Amino acid sequence: MDSSCIQSASSPFDCIVFDLDDTLYSSKTGIGQALKRNIDDFLVERFGFPESQAPTLRAELFKIYGSSLVGLRSLGYDVDADDYHSVVHGRLPYDLIKPDAKLRNLLQTIKQRKIIFTNSDKIHAMKTLDRLGIKDCFEQIICLETMNPNLSKSTTPVVLKPSMEAMKIAVDVAGVDPRRTLFLDDNVKNVAAGKAVGLRTVLVGKAIKSKETDYALETIPNLVQVIPEIWFSEEDDQRISHTKNDVDSILSATAVGA
Ligand SMILES: [Mg+2]
């Protein structure tokens, strides 16, 4: 049962925790834009906000509360979470997300436990991972429902990254030692919260690291260059170089084909 026993002893990491949206695929797919439009539509359709004000309101809610759902609930609006997600995620053009063979190959070379930690609801996470062709690469999905078992009660505050509560739930549910766990996210606040609970952190989408993060990388394939110790093995050096060569050959093969 304990998959950590197959993990190599020399790697400083037992587990890799990945955010999903804008981390495992780019918001430039058009999904990010569609998501914003859907939130605006929700604000107009369900609460009658003027169409012209919806984008500003959405941006403010995100800035202050980290999500429109949390913001609306915090301001006392009676928002049904299932209804919110049926509009905001249910109407997304998922066909914009294409299978990512390069990402899949890379994930398969990572022998440690791999977990998704997302603020999105489970249906969105499953659909997105399925579209990317990487659903079977992860042993666990920690999502909105994991952090909020009583979500349907509209009086309950919603727990999401980057709150400390959310980070503690994730560490607890995953059953990991945060000091031996690498946490990747594109959001600086989430990464800072991860560091505050003792996780080793990676900011995705930025090439330059800041004080909130232990590592920074442009895209996931850069893991190979930036954090090669993920692939370190307790076996001899030959095995290590073999593994690294495998990764290199995967990357060069996909680069040629791309
Ligand atoms: Mg993200």
Side-chain angles (χ1 to χ4, degrees), residues 175-191:
V176 294
D177 175 354
R179 292 163 305 175
R180 294 188 54 82
T181 302
L182 202 56
F183 168 54
L184 294 87
D185 201 299
D186 64 287
N187 183 305
V188 180
K189 285 184 186 171
N190 293 350
V191 166

Side-chain angles (χ1 to χ4, degrees), residues 224-249:
V224 182
Q225 292 85 33
V226 180
I227 320 179
E229 52 269 40
I230 291 172
W231 289 271
F232 283 3
S233 162
E234 67 179 327
E235 289 163 43
D236 59 25
D237 288 345
Q238 203 183 344
R239 166 65 199 277
I240 295 168
S241 61
H242 177 64
T243 308
K244 286 171 88 176
N245 283 341
D246 283 349
V247 174
D248 287 344
S249 62

Side-chain angles (χ1 to χ4, degrees), residues 19-24 117-118 161 184-187 190:
D19 172 48
L20 175 60
D21 302 304
D22 295 341
T23 293
L24 288 178
F117 178 25
T118 175
K161 292 183 281 185
L184 294 87
D185 201 299
D186 64 287
N187 183 305
N190 293 350

Side-chain angles (χ1 to χ4, degrees), residues 201-220:
T201 55
V202 187
L203 181 63
V204 180
K206 298 264 188 317
I208 301 157
K209 86 176 209 63
S210 58
K211 64 177 180 348
E212 292 92 354
T213 184
D214 297 309
Y215 306 93
L217 36 96
E218 209 76 76
T219 60
I220 298 293

